[in-house]
Amino acid sequence: MTILEAQQLTKTYRLGDREICVLDGVSVAVAEGEFLVIQGSSGSGKTTLLTLLSGLDKPTSGRILLEGIDITDFKEEELAPLRNTSIGFVFQSFHLVPSLTAIENVMFPAELRHDHDAEEKANILLRRVGLLDRAGNFPHQLSGGERQRVAICRALINNPKIVFADEPTGNLDSSNGKAILDLLLELQKERRATLILVTHSQEIARTSDRIIFLKDGRIAAHGLGSHQGGRDGFSEQHHVS
Amino acid sequence: MFHKSFIRRQLTRSRQQTVVFVLCVVLSMVTLIALDSFSRSVNESMLMDARTLHAGDIIIHSHYDFSPTLDDAVGSLVKQGLIQAARVYDLYSVVRTAGDKDSLLVDLKIVEPGYPFYGAVELKSQRPLEKVLTQGNIIVEQGVLDRLHLQAGDTLNVGEATLMIADVVLHEPDRPVNFFSLGPRVFVSSRDLEALNLVQKGSRVDHLYLLKVQDPGNVDRLAAELRDVATPDRERVDTYRTAGSRIKRFFDNFLFFLDLIAIFTLLLAGIGIQSAVTAFLQEKEKTVAIMKAVGATNRFITLQFIVVLCLLGLAGTVLGVLLGFFLQNFLPFVFQGLLPQNIRTGISGWAVLKGFFLGVFAVAIFTSLPLYRLRDLKPAVIFRKEETGNRRGLPFYLTVLGVVLVFAAMILWQLRDVRIGLYFISGVGVLIALATLLSEAVLLSIRKRKIKSLPLRQAFKGLFRPRNATKAVIVTLTASLSVIFSITLLDKNLDANFIQSYPEDAPNVFFLDIQTSQLEAFSRELGIQAEYYPVVRGRIRSINGEPVDVAREWQRRGDNLAREFNLTYRDYLLKDEALLQGESLFRTGVEGVQVSVLDTFAEANGIKMGDRIAFNIQGVPLDTTVVSIRTRTKEFIQPFFYFVFQEKVLKAAPQTVFTAVRLPPREISAIQNRMVASFPNVSVIDLTETVQVFARILGKLSGITRFFTLFSIIAGVLILVSSVLATRFVRTQETVYFKILGARRSFILKVLTLENGILGLLSALIALLLSQAGSWTISRWIFDIAYHPFPLWSLLMIFSTLALVVAVGLVSSISILRQKPVIFLREQTEE
């Protein structure tokens, strides 16, 4: 069943006199519980696609449907509850609130929806990622890997239907990066969430259900990851002309 | 050496910070310049036309009839054609309408033809004074007609004479301001002096000789000649250049007080300058780090920023000078009713120069610390995203000490009064120290609290955001609010004690200038048991052999020893008196003249038991010894005397008597009419009316004070704005993260409102605590009145502060609230 669908998404920016087209008629449908990887070189439009799909930005044209509801023209106030309950974010730069401790960062989305069990849920998640003893630490007192684990807990505390991850291992060394990705996938499976992940890594892409490859703002190719029987990322790819 | 394009870029970017910086510079000088120019204008208006202000070239003043020697000397000069002379008598008296139906306390001025020699008395009819003020005629102020329901042509009983109202006076040259008068003016011709029968021995009359010297070059010489024949300590001979003016003295004191408030504003604006520069330079940290990374020296970088700050400081200074002059032109409206009519405001070159100096100085001393910190910035900042703390070593504290000392020196230079300057610096120091300690304690206790509500918790967290100037904002707002709150509370307390709820047991009517010969008849006519106080006038010659330095004493801002004192005699303590030192009021078996001194006078002048005070009682020297020190047990509305003598010592001296009685308010008018009809020379002061005059004066002065204190509030507001700007990045970051995590706009607004609300509430509460304590101390120990905390007014002041801080905080955060998450995230990723 399709949980998220993008129809002919276009995004253009004005840079001085020039108009730059970052995305050009991208359509994609994501199934519930799917792990979709978006790949492409720098400037190909992958982060832009992620921000459009997650409702952080609005397309110049095209539609976005979340669970069949058109959210393209939703105002910020209509998007806020969606972001709080249906969507989780994990960023390359972690983006933890500096004035809040690790546990307060994790609890925050649950507290926003007046969840009385926020603290308990945050404790469970932090224990699950091995950070219970660092719960009272502020972000600047944590290592990069620890910060990203806190960010993952924060993204999952409200059991979102979709998790958007923008190069979550980009700021981490390889061993930490692998650990974080394993954790993210584990938790995604446990909670049966849809995961849409932007990455440069072929290795990560191979573990996905499906891969789309962006080039110059268009889907240049898509293929199946190893979970769907693909052997080597784009070995089963279909080039789009 | 100077990198022009770099400097230009720094000036054109970070516009909000530069605007706040420039505004702080403007604020630091605007009130000082305005007041400086204004006091110059007031002084110049009074001195330039000093002849008009005194209505003559030489002014001779006495509380007694002039001595025959002086009278003869003046007469001789008139005969020689060297001068023209006019006698003037100024006294308070009660006038009555025909049939003694109504009466009113008025300020009588009895003048001889010739008055005024300079300037003119303006009459409603535009006719000259000498044509109208003839024998049998009087000229009155409009207030007399209004209050007694009379019109020109009606008659009025003045003393023992019945005179006709011939005109209305609009302006008189030697009384430029009548704001402080207890009663409206009535002019009487000296030809009616005898018929009035008001000027008697011992009466409270200001006797004046106004002299016009035919050859202006002779003024000083003739004044010196007359001074030689005048009775020392009793007859004062001045030229128009040396004569003091009560109104000028009032302005000197009041403008000096306002100067203190302006310096207070300068200090707060200085903190604002420092805060704004810190915010400005923090935004440049990455730029500075990159410059250092590519080899720029500290000297080069500091120099560029000095030029940037100098240019901004110059802009602020020019704007400050312009606004100062604008404000100066606005001040006559603020002081309306208090100023002489001929006041002319103008631009003074000295004030401009001083303004520039102050502006540059304020910028230099208050930017030194943030600039100093720039030197410590490491190129590694480029790679760090989190906040770094400021290290505070010895050089930092030495710089702080330097700033404090230089600022203190500037205050002393501005005030030109070392003693008051040091009191002021200590007072401000204590105020800031208390505000810092209290805010520190409150913030510490808040930090440790566990708060359940998410918005409230987030708001509290916001107070401890890195680089937040929370403490600076609270301290600045607290300090300025404490001053405003204290003025309001004191104003309200004085109003409550003396105007709204006049003490029930306090006397409400004073009968003055009762002649000793009238005492028995007066007491019988009044028909009330009352205490009668004999009054003998005298001056102090020396204390413990140290002569009173008249010139120095007249320079003193408070009470002075050279003035004339009211002395009394009795052998017992009054009901509201108690002995502080000494076993009885006077001792038996002691040789020489004994005197009892009131504690307030003794404390103010360091008088102890056994001290020797030499008096001059209307020409008779009297050496006394202090044998007791008294204190008063009731509010000061009861009559009191600094010096009490034994009856045998002063009984024979020229004297008048007064009494203070409590009358039912409704009967005051009738009793006043009856008493003045029988004793026309007796002045009746109805205190219930007099307090209305004081209420008007008090209201006006506290209004002006509040107006100037408002500028210090603006300084607090600017610091709040610069604090928001300094933490702009962190605030935007938080707002964006909250939005991404699903927070609605209402939540973010709630957090911002609460954060600013807490800031305002803390400042207001600490300020209220300090001002309640300060006002209580002043009320109890200086004014000696009952203290009311005025809880409703206190709440109103707290809510006003709250509303102001919340509004300013929200307005300066609008752009942060509008920040789109995706743009911020993209900028962060690109970095």
Side-chain angles (χ1 to χ4, degrees):
Chain A
M1 186 191 160
T2 301
I3 190 165
L4 183 69
E5 191 179 352
Q7 300 170 349
Q8 291 296 312
L9 289 184
T10 303
K11 183 73 182 175
T12 52
Y13 293 107
R14 184 161 280 284
L15 199 68
D17 295 338
R18 286 188 303 151
E19 195 166 77
I20 296 165
C21 182
V22 190
L23 276 186
D24 186 7
V26 171
S27 296
V28 63
V30 187
E32 202 172 338
E34 189 181 358
F35 171 23
L36 173 73
V37 162
I38 304 170
Q39 284 204 304
S41 54
S42 288
S44 60
K46 35 186 207 305
T47 299
T48 305
L49 178 59
L50 194 82
T51 55
L52 294 181
L53 292 175
S54 61
L56 282 177
D57 201 3
K58 296 211 178 299
T60 311
S61 66
R63 319 298 306 166
I64 300 158
L65 288 89
L66 179 66
E67 293 184 297
I69 300 165
D70 189 346
I71 63 163
T72 322
D73 297 324
F74 268 30
K75 295 201 169 79
E76 280 290 307
E77 287 303 279
E78 294 167 299
L79 286 168
L82 285 182
R83 286 179 192 150
N84 184 233
T85 54
S86 305
I87 295 170
F89 290 98
V90 180
F91 299 97
Q92 182 181 356
S93 306
F94 325 125
H95 293 320
L96 297 177
V97 181
S99 58
L100 301 183
T101 60
I103 192 162
E104 285 170 340
N105 262 291
V106 177
M107 283 162 62
F108 188 82
E111 284 187 299
L112 270 181
R113 55 190 290 225
H114 309 292
D115 185 342
H116 296 298
D117 301 326
E119 191 168 0
E120 196 188 329
K121 285 179 182 171
N123 274 321
I124 292 169
L125 277 165
L126 285 172
R127 187 181 297 119
R128 175 77 181 74
V129 301
L131 282 179
L132 196 58
D133 58 332
R134 311 299 302 270
N137 286 64
F138 285 95
H140 69 272
Q141 296 167 321
L142 300 172
S143 70
E146 287 171 333
R147 286 186 213 183
Q148 198 58 296
R149 278 188 271 165
V150 173
I152 291 170
C153 292
R154 185 180 67 179
L156 295 173
I157 192 163
N158 281 344
N159 275 325
K161 289 174 183 156
I162 311 173
V163 174
F164 292 93
D166 186 10
E167 303 205 37
T169 58
N171 272 351
L172 305 173
D173 59 54
S174 57
S175 66
N176 249 321
K178 185 169 180 340
I180 287 293
L181 190 78
D182 289 346
L183 181 70
L184 188 60
L185 291 175
E186 249 178 74
L187 287 168
Q188 178 241 341
K189 277 186 191 122
E190 266 176 38
R191 289 161 187 256
R192 293 190 183 86
T194 304
L195 176 63
I196 302 174
L197 188 142
V198 167
T199 182
H200 285 290
S201 165
Q202 291 295 335
E203 201 181 332
I204 296 169
R206 271 198 294 273
T207 60
S208 69
D209 294 326
R210 189 154 61 102
I211 309 157
I212 56 173
F213 190 84
L214 290 179
K215 191 179 177 188
D216 298 332
R218 292 177 176 206
I219 297 179
H222 51 80
L224 298 176
S226 58
H227 282 184
Q228 297 295 324
R231 289 192 306 269
D232 192 15
F234 281 95
S235 57
E236 296 292 324
Q237 68 193 353
H238 304 275
H239 287 276
V240 179
S241 56
Chain B
M1 212 49 194
F2 302 122
H3 199 295
K4 281 183 197 161
S5 57
F6 175 81
I7 292 166
R8 195 176 56 242
R9 273 200 302 276
Q10 305 314 312
L11 285 170
T12 49
R13 288 168 197 177
S14 316
R15 277 197 196 135
Q16 286 164 313
Q17 281 90 332
T18 52
V19 167
V20 173
F21 175 78
V22 169
L23 286 178
C24 285
V25 177
V26 170
L27 197 65
S28 68
M29 49 200 294
V30 70
T31 46
L32 272 177
I33 290 185
L35 278 174
D36 206 44
S37 295
F38 183 67
S39 43
R40 267 166 202 284
S41 301
V42 170
N43 280 332
E44 276 168 16
S45 302
M46 287 180 176
L47 289 178
M48 198 164 61
D49 264 344
R51 278 191 175 94
T52 309
L53 185 67
H54 297 289
D57 293 311
I58 296 174
I59 305 97
I60 310 176
H61 175 262
S62 177
H63 286 307
Y64 312 92
D65 204 358
F66 290 114
S67 59
T69 335
L70 187 69
D71 257 341
D72 291 346
V74 172
S76 156
L77 291 174
V78 172
K79 268 186 197 158
Q80 292 170 51
L82 293 173
I83 61 167
Q84 285 177 268
R87 282 288 300 263
V88 175
Y89 306 82
D90 202 334
L91 65 149
Y92 278 102
S93 183
V94 177
V95 295
R96 293 107 55 212
T97 54
D100 297 326
K101 281 181 189 161
D102 279 318
S103 55
L104 178 70
L105 181 77
V106 297
D107 191 352
L108 270 189
K109 195 166 189 173
I110 305 159
V111 296
E112 279 184 355
Y115 164 87
F117 291 120
Y118 298 98
V121 175
E122 273 179 51
L123 303 183
K124 198 174 178 183
S125 66
Q126 299 296 317
R127 290 176 294 170
L129 179 76
E130 65 271 17
K131 296 273 184 214
V132 185
L133 195 61
T134 52
Q135 189 165 13
N137 278 356
I138 52 170
I139 298 167
V140 302
E141 211 175 310
Q142 185 64 41
V144 176
L145 301 183
D146 294 343
R147 291 170 67 181
L148 294 176
H149 311 289
L150 299 173
Q151 54 190 5
D154 288 342
T155 58
L156 207 53
N157 296 327
V158 186
E160 291 175 8
T162 300
L163 306 167
M164 193 191 76
I165 300 169
D167 213 328
V168 172
V169 59
L170 301 176
H171 172 72
E172 55 190 293
D174 48 341
R175 191 171 74 154
V177 177
N178 55 10
F179 196 79
F180 303 98
S181 182
L182 290 180
R185 171 69 86 207
V186 171
F187 273 104
V188 181
S189 164
S190 61
R191 292 183 189 102
D192 292 315
L193 180 67
E194 278 189 30
L196 300 180
N197 197 21
L198 284 176
V199 180
Q200 298 169 7
K201 209 168 179 109
S203 301
R204 280 179 173 268
V205 180
D206 278 333
H207 296 257
L208 283 166
Y209 251 130
L210 297 180
L211 311 181
K212 183 183 181 184
V213 180
Q214 302 300 6
D215 176 2
N218 282 339
V219 171
D220 290 330
R221 185 180 61 79
L222 294 179
E225 272 179 29
L226 290 169
R227 212 170 281 132
D228 286 343
V229 295
T231 313
D233 296 342
R234 208 169 133 164
E235 292 162 337
R236 193 181 164 96
V237 181
D238 281 299
T239 69
Y240 64 93
R241 283 188 288 265
T242 59
S245 148
R246 274 185 205 163
I247 187 72
K248 190 178 172 305
R249 199 171 157 79
F250 159 76
F251 272 108
D252 280 349
N253 285 331
F254 191 53
L255 290 172
F256 182 82
F257 169 67
L258 293 180
D259 245 359
L260 293 179
I261 293 179
I263 289 174
F264 184 63
T265 306
L266 169 70
L267 175 68
L268 297 187
I271 298 173
I273 289 175
Q274 188 173 332
S275 182
V277 173
T278 306
F280 174 75
L281 292 179
Q282 271 170 4
E283 206 163 76
K284 311 290 175 196
E285 275 187 359
K286 282 256 158 75
T287 311
V288 173
I290 291 168
M291 287 169 79
K292 285 190 177 180
V294 296
T297 60
N298 260 333
R299 193 164 174 259
F300 174 80
I301 294 167
T302 310
L303 195 65
Q304 308 310 310
F305 280 105
I306 285 177
V307 174
V308 170
L309 294 176
C310 280
L311 289 172
L312 290 174
L314 189 69
T317 305
V318 171
L319 209 59
V321 170
L322 292 175
L323 274 177
F325 286 119
F326 172 76
L327 180 65
Q328 184 217 357
N329 283 313
F330 179 68
L331 289 187
F333 297 102
V334 177
F335 282 79
Q336 203 162 32
L338 281 178
L339 289 176
Q341 276 187 347
N342 65 339
I343 184 102
R344 283 180 292 270
T345 52
I347 295 175
S348 131
W350 166 247
V352 173
L353 203 69
K354 192 171 160 187
F356 271 99
F357 172 74
L358 274 176
V360 171
F361 203 70
V363 170
I365 59 173
F366 287 108
T367 55
S368 54
L369 269 180
L371 276 174
Y372 172 79
R373 286 199 193 115
L374 210 58
R375 298 173 67 89
D376 279 348
L377 196 78
K378 301 279 182 290
V381 167
I382 307 168
F383 305 105
R384 283 202 298 265
K385 281 198 172 172
E386 62 272 18
E387 304 293 333
T388 48
N390 290 314
R391 281 192 306 273
R392 291 180 170 182
L394 184 64
F396 170 82
Y397 289 108
L398 284 176
T399 315
V400 172
L401 184 67
V403 167
V404 171
L405 288 178
V406 169
F407 191 72
M410 198 177 89
I411 291 174
L412 295 179
W413 173 74
Q414 169 70 18
L415 293 181
R416 290 185 191 85
D417 190 324
V418 176
R419 194 173 59 89
I420 292 182
L422 289 177
Y423 280 149
F424 176 75
I425 292 167
S426 318
V428 171
V430 168
L431 179 63
I432 289 178
L434 278 175
T436 310
L437 275 175
L438 285 171
S439 61
E440 191 90 60
V442 174
L443 288 175
L444 201 72
S445 68
I446 286 173
R447 200 167 196 163
K448 288 184 176 170
R449 289 190 84 83
K450 274 208 153 194
I451 296 152
K452 277 205 159 184
S453 153
L454 181 63
L456 192 62
R457 192 195 319 146
Q458 208 45 50
F460 274 117
K461 291 246 174 203
L463 293 179
F464 302 102
R465 200 179 279 124
R467 293 182 172 179
N468 228 23
T470 305
K471 223 187 306 167
V473 173
I474 294 180
V475 169
T476 318
L477 278 177
T478 300
S480 47
L481 289 171
S482 301
V483 176
I484 293 192
F485 287 3
S486 299
I487 290 168
T488 308
L489 287 171
L490 285 172
D491 182 19
K492 290 274 138 206
N493 267 288
L494 287 171
D495 189 72
N497 274 277
F498 298 115
I499 293 147
Q500 299 304 329
S501 58
Y502 191 80
E504 277 184 20
D505 57 341
N508 54 359
V509 179
F510 279 61
F511 293 93
L512 308 177
D513 290 342
I514 307 165
Q515 300 296 308
T516 40
S517 56
Q518 296 173 319
L519 197 53
E520 212 180 305
F522 184 91
S523 175
R524 206 169 39 244
E525 179 76 38
L526 186 62
I528 299 170
Q529 182 71 29
E531 178 79 37
Y532 288 89
Y533 307 90
V535 181
V536 177
R537 308 255 188 86
R539 292 179 190 273
I540 298 175
R541 281 190 298 127
S542 67
I543 296 174
N544 290 326
E546 183 80 34
V548 170
D549 183 339
V550 177
R552 201 185 63 196
E553 286 300 321
W554 281 106
Q555 295 298 316
R556 265 171 67 162
R557 288 192 185 279
D559 197 4
N560 77 74
L561 293 175
R563 73 174 174 90
E564 200 167 48
F565 288 92
N566 289 322
L567 319 173
T568 193
Y569 59 85
R570 56 183 143 85
D571 294 323
Y572 52 90
L573 281 171
L574 295 176
K575 269 189 268 178
D576 66 331
E577 287 182 328
L579 280 179
L580 273 187
Q581 292 181 50
E583 285 170 12
S584 55
L585 194 58
F586 301 107
R587 285 192 221 154
T588 46
V590 175
E591 280 189 21
V593 179
Q594 303 178 37
V595 67
S596 173
V597 179
L598 199 68
D599 57 346
T600 46
F601 180 85
E603 280 162 24
N605 298 286
I607 305 287
K608 302 180 298 297
M609 291 281 283
D611 279 355
R612 288 168 294 115
I613 306 176
F615 289 90
N616 178 347
I617 297 172
Q618 294 162 46
V620 180
L622 198 66
D623 294 331
T624 66
T625 306
V626 178
V627 292
S628 67
I629 294 178
R630 292 163 293 124
T631 189
R632 291 163 56 229
T633 55
K634 284 192 179 175
E635 285 112 4
F636 71 71
I637 213 117
Q638 299 285 345
F640 67 95
F641 291 87
Y642 283 158
F643 306 103
V644 177
F645 290 76
Q646 285 172 299
E647 189 175 335
K648 63 182 181 189
V649 178
L650 290 186
K651 194 163 170 74
Q655 60 193 269
T656 59
V657 177
F658 82 89
T659 186
V661 293
R662 175 85 199 174
L663 295 176
R666 284 182 183 179
E667 293 174 24
I668 293 176
S669 184
I671 295 175
Q672 172 174 302
N673 294 344
R674 196 181 79 220
M675 295 307 288
V676 292
S678 307
F679 306 95
N681 62 297
V682 172
S683 298
V684 186
I685 295 180
D686 177 355
L687 280 187
T688 50
E689 270 186 20
T690 309
V691 289
Q692 298 305 322
V693 176
F694 285 125
R696 193 186 65 196
I697 296 171
L698 195 67
K700 186 78 191 172
L701 298 187
S702 64
I704 294 171
T705 310
R706 268 199 290 266
F707 172 80
F708 280 96
T709 321
L710 271 180
F711 286 87
S712 61
I713 287 281
I714 299 175
V717 165
L718 286 176
I719 293 175
L720 180 63
V721 175
S722 66
S723 169
V724 172
L725 294 177
T727 52
R728 191 186 176 77
F729 174 79
V730 188
R731 283 169 190 265
T732 310
Q733 192 184 38
E734 277 176 11
T735 307
V736 164
Y737 292 174
F738 290 165
K739 282 183 181 173
I740 290 171
L741 296 173
R744 288 171 190 270
R745 202 182 163 84
S746 58
F747 171 82
I748 297 164
L749 258 175
K750 202 185 279 180
V751 172
L752 275 176
T753 309
L754 282 170
E755 186 185 329
N756 289 300
I758 294 165
L759 206 62
L761 190 67
L762 283 184
S763 311
L765 283 175
I766 299 173
L768 188 69
L769 184 75
L770 290 174
S771 55
Q772 288 282 8
S775 311
W776 177 83
T777 311
I778 294 172
S779 297
R780 289 305 306 272
W781 303 109
I782 296 178
F783 292 161
D784 198 15
I785 54 173
Y787 185 69
H788 306 273
F790 285 98
L792 277 178
W793 269 91
S794 301
L795 273 179
L796 186 72
M797 291 190 288
I798 287 178
F799 280 119
S800 310
T801 310
L802 209 60
L804 175 77
V805 175
V806 168
V808 171
L810 287 181
V811 167
S812 46
S813 304
I814 283 175
S815 62
I816 293 171
L817 268 171
R818 284 183 180 161
Q819 177 73 51
K820 284 195 172 169
V822 70
I823 295 171
F824 180 80
L825 291 176
R826 196 179 300 137
E827 282 168 359
Q828 294 309 298
T829 313
E830 279 164 8
E831 261 193 32

